[in-house]
Amino acid sequence: KNAISVGASLNGRSSDYLARFSSRGPTRDGRTKPDVVAPGADVESAAAKVGSCGLFSQSGTSMSAPIVSGTAALVRQYF
């Protein structure tokens, strides 16, 4: 109940909208979810393969969570 849920927003012009694959609230007890939203559609990430490195694009809340975690760590360090 006390966990922070992370949602994924669309990137680009429509960054004000929640991605269709991101869960939405309210919860059974009426709380609004997600608590925090970060870019999660077509996020560029490092791709490591044997003998080569590069980038690949992926979508999902699993791409949003690291952005939120890193931002929270920076805020925590600052204050």
Side-chain angles (χ1 to χ4, degrees):
K1 182 175 180 176
N2 294 325
I4 295 173
S5 63
V6 177
S9 67
L10 298 173
N11 297 337
R13 291 184 186 175
S14 48
S15 60
D16 296 332
Y17 299 106
L18 205 57
R20 64 175 175 73
F21 53 80
S22 190
S23 295
R24 293 163 173 76
T27 61
R28 289 182 194 156
D29 58 1
R31 291 174 290 132
T32 303
K33 293 290 181 176
D35 298 307
V36 188
V37 177
D42 299 322
V43 176
E44 294 281 323
S45 184
K49 296 181 182 178
V50 177
S52 68
C53 295
L55 295 174
F56 72 102
S57 180
Q58 193 167 356
S59 297
T61 53
S62 58
M63 299 302 282
S64 301
I67 296 170
V68 171
S69 299
T71 302
L74 289 172
V75 170
R76 173 83 170 96
Q77 181 181 13
Y78 184 79
F79 293 104

